[in-house]
Amino acid sequence: MSERDPELTNVAPGEPHDSLMSETISYVVGLGLALLLTGVSFWVASTSALWGPGVAVGLVVLAIAQMGVHLVFFLHITSGPDNANNVLALAFGVLIVFVVMIGTIWIMAHLAANMGPTPEMTNLMTQRG
Amino acid sequence: MTTEVAAVGLTHGASEDTGLGNRGPQSKGIVVPFGFWLFVLSDMVLFSALFATYASLVHATDGGPVTNQLFDRTNVAIETLALLISSFICGLAIIAAKRNNLLWTEIWLLFTGLFGFVFLVIELTEFVGMVHIGAGPQRSAFLSSFFTLVGCHGAHVTAGLLWIGTMMAQVWAKGFQPHIIRRLLCLSIFWHALDIIWVAIFTIVYLIGTLP
């Protein structure tokens, strides 16, 4: 086992690990994709050519795509075997983030509807009966 | 017999490297940035709570100004560009640092900080303007959650700027020792993560907030 075996080694997050050229190209490609996605986001938000109610969902999808670009090209979180620990930590973080955000929004959006009847309402019902 | 047992993974020869447990912990150069990565992820969990709070309270304006009246997309576009370019240049600084190039590391770190500073100045100008027209954090629940969320990101950027200045001084004074390189790498993780959080902020707060 004289050569570096990717199965048995790890890399740190954020650490570029290639030649000068390919490292720089990785950042340039990342910058280009991020600029593209940002531009599309601002265009989608400004144009009237798209179906209004779908725009917000589209913006969220574009944002998630751009986060992916940042993770891969700037933070070098890849699917390689030397990156398993970083990816697993990220996966757990994403899970908690989604549970907190979607859980909160879900509960708070239904809070009013799921509350019991107010005293006034109860009073009206007893009067009617 | 030995080969059979080895085949089902019950034992291993002295020369055989079966995995990480056999060789002890990873080097500091791996463990330290990984630990910092865990911190950054927990920071994102913190921000997710602030995002959830904002999403819950964004319509609780108490008759005060609403998102459409407050936010200016041109400002946000400039902020976004400044932070994105800053994040990109931070990557260039790491590339230079890996090659022990003092001059370019310092130059790129300086520009990383400058673009971060541009971002911060625009953000603070926006905050001051909002407070000036009576849209401060005490006006409504929506504005409280807005200033908490965006202000928390701004505070992180401020801390990052101080860290960039510190690292410029340390690289200058101490050179590219292993622990200095580790700190630089942690700084870059922090800075890239702040840009990821900004992507969520400019989308959820500013763009969706200013939809017609």
Side-chain angles (χ1 to χ4, degrees):
Chain A
M1 205 161 290
S2 54
E3 283 190 24
R4 181 176 175 275
D5 185 347
E7 290 286 351
L8 297 175
T9 52
N10 290 306
V11 292
E15 185 173 30
H17 43 92
D18 275 314
S19 70
L20 175 65
M21 201 58 190
S22 67
E23 282 172 15
T24 313
I25 286 175
S26 160
Y27 284 107
V28 171
V29 169
L31 179 70
L33 285 174
L35 281 174
L36 180 72
L37 287 165
T38 305
V40 172
S41 284
F42 276 82
W43 176 78
V44 163
S46 317
T47 184
S48 55
L50 299 168
W51 182 59
V55 167
V57 179
L59 285 172
V60 170
V61 171
L62 284 166
I64 291 175
Q66 190 174 343
M67 289 177 189
V69 167
H70 285 237
L71 283 172
V72 171
F73 292 97
F74 290 171
L75 281 165
H76 310 290
I77 304 293
T78 66
S79 57
D82 54 356
N83 235 306
N85 290 333
N86 303 332
V87 172
L88 283 175
L90 173 69
F92 182 68
V94 169
L95 171 73
I96 301 299
V97 164
F98 271 85
V99 167
V100 169
M101 287 187 67
I102 295 177
T104 305
I105 293 168
W106 187 17
I107 291 169
M108 293 307 288
H110 292 81
L111 193 61
N114 290 344
M115 291 291 261
T118 60
E120 293 79 30
M121 287 166 69
T122 326
N123 198 16
L124 280 175
M125 280 189 271
T126 39
Q127 281 172 359
R128 196 176 299 150
Chain B
M1 184 259 170
T2 318
T3 48
E4 276 173 33
V5 176
V8 292
L10 294 176
T11 183
H12 58 84
S15 64
E16 204 175 350
D17 192 348
T18 54
L20 298 175
N22 201 22
R23 288 177 289 128
Q26 291 279 336
S27 70
K28 264 194 162 181
I30 302 292
V31 171
V32 170
F34 178 69
F36 194 78
W37 176 233
L38 294 184
F39 158 74
V40 160
L41 288 168
S42 69
D43 216 30
M44 292 192 176
V45 170
L46 179 143
F47 270 100
S48 76
L50 295 179
F51 274 111
T53 310
Y54 178 82
S56 301
L57 295 175
V58 64
H59 298 299
T61 53
D62 189 27
V66 299
T67 53
N68 261 321
Q69 301 163 332
L70 290 173
F71 302 146
D72 174 29
R73 276 193 191 165
T74 316
N75 264 349
V76 178
I78 300 171
E79 280 179 283
T80 304
L81 272 183
L83 208 56
L84 181 60
I85 292 171
S86 178
S87 200
F88 170 71
I89 296 178
C90 184
L92 299 184
I94 295 298
I95 292 179
K98 263 188 74 184
R99 286 163 181 78
N100 295 353
N101 190 324
L102 182 65
L103 179 67
W104 280 105
T105 306
E106 295 281 359
I107 290 176
W108 291 136
L109 280 178
L110 178 68
F111 277 98
T112 306
L114 282 179
F115 278 101
F117 186 71
V118 167
F119 168 88
L120 204 60
V121 167
I122 299 174
E123 178 156 278
L124 286 176
T125 312
E126 184 199 17
F127 283 4
V128 169
M130 285 173 71
V131 171
H132 197 68
I133 61 166
Q138 71 274 47
R139 178 61 188 84
S140 64
F142 149 61
L143 283 165
S144 301
S145 61
F146 167 81
F147 277 97
T148 310
L149 171 62
V150 184
C152 188
H153 179 266
H156 276 75
V157 173
T158 311
L161 287 180
L162 293 174
W163 193 359
I164 289 170
T166 311
M167 287 320 300
M168 287 177 71
Q170 289 198 336
V171 168
W172 186 267
K174 301 185 180 188
F176 294 104
Q177 298 175 46
H179 68 287
I180 302 293
I181 297 280
R182 285 203 297 273
R183 287 174 197 175
L184 268 177
L185 199 56
C186 289
L187 170 66
S188 80
I189 298 170
F190 184 72
W191 202 246
H192 294 317
L194 284 187
D195 203 22
I196 291 179
I197 292 167
W198 178 253
V199 170
I201 291 182
F202 88 68
T203 301
I204 294 176
V205 176
Y206 290 101
L207 287 186
I208 293 183
T210 51
L211 287 179

